[in-house]
Amino acid sequence: MRILLAHTERILKYYDVVLATTSPRRRELIKKIECVRPIFVATDAEEAVLGSALETAETNARIKGGIAAANTPLPVLAFDTVVGIADKVLGKPKNRDDAVAMFRTLCGAVHEVVTAVYLRVGKKIIVKSEKTSVEFGAFDADSVYNYIDSGAPYDKAGGYNIDDAAIKPLIKRFDGDYYNVVGLPVALTEKLIEENLIYGENGYSD
């Protein structure tokens, strides 16, 4: 009975966790993890573009997380999402021409969305990534230009948010975690929190 009560207490407990993000999409998605009580902080980090989407995302997540972790003893979560296609890594478009070029690259092809999750608990740092494949249909000028002219692409990896209604006609299919494409892989993040915070070295363990 004592073990069961301890287990229940850990499940019902809320954990203050610093989230190194200003993304409104991530702020909404973190609410799906019920045990987390998020404290949002902005990190002014210069994002790198490296050899692969995986390397780029994990490096940037470490940079963001490291900045936030330097200022608090609380657990810290940070994320970085990038799009990889062939040998290209697509971050956020810098201007209209850049956004148009991204859509011309993405349309009619399959690309990979990678989100890296950084978690710091005490002195322990964990970085894991989730990958989702997305296929776009052919380039549709009206859909693409209307979307770009709305201003929506400029804070999004690859220039789009799969949640945006205006982008739906371009998406043929996706394979993997939908929320990963939005910017926060909920299942992976929850798993890391459970393993390293709730049931970690300082928590309850059966």
Side-chain angles (χ1 to χ4, degrees), residues 10 31 47 80 92 112 116 152 157 173 183 189 203 205:
R10 300 301 292 181
K31 294 177 183 178
E47 295 185 358
D80 192 70
K92 300 169 185 174
E112 190 172 70
R173 65 173 184 86
T189 303
S205 175

Side-chain angles (χ1 to χ4, degrees), residues 4 48 86 130 179 192 205:
L4 180 60
E130 187 75 46
Y179 294 126
L192 293 177
S205 175

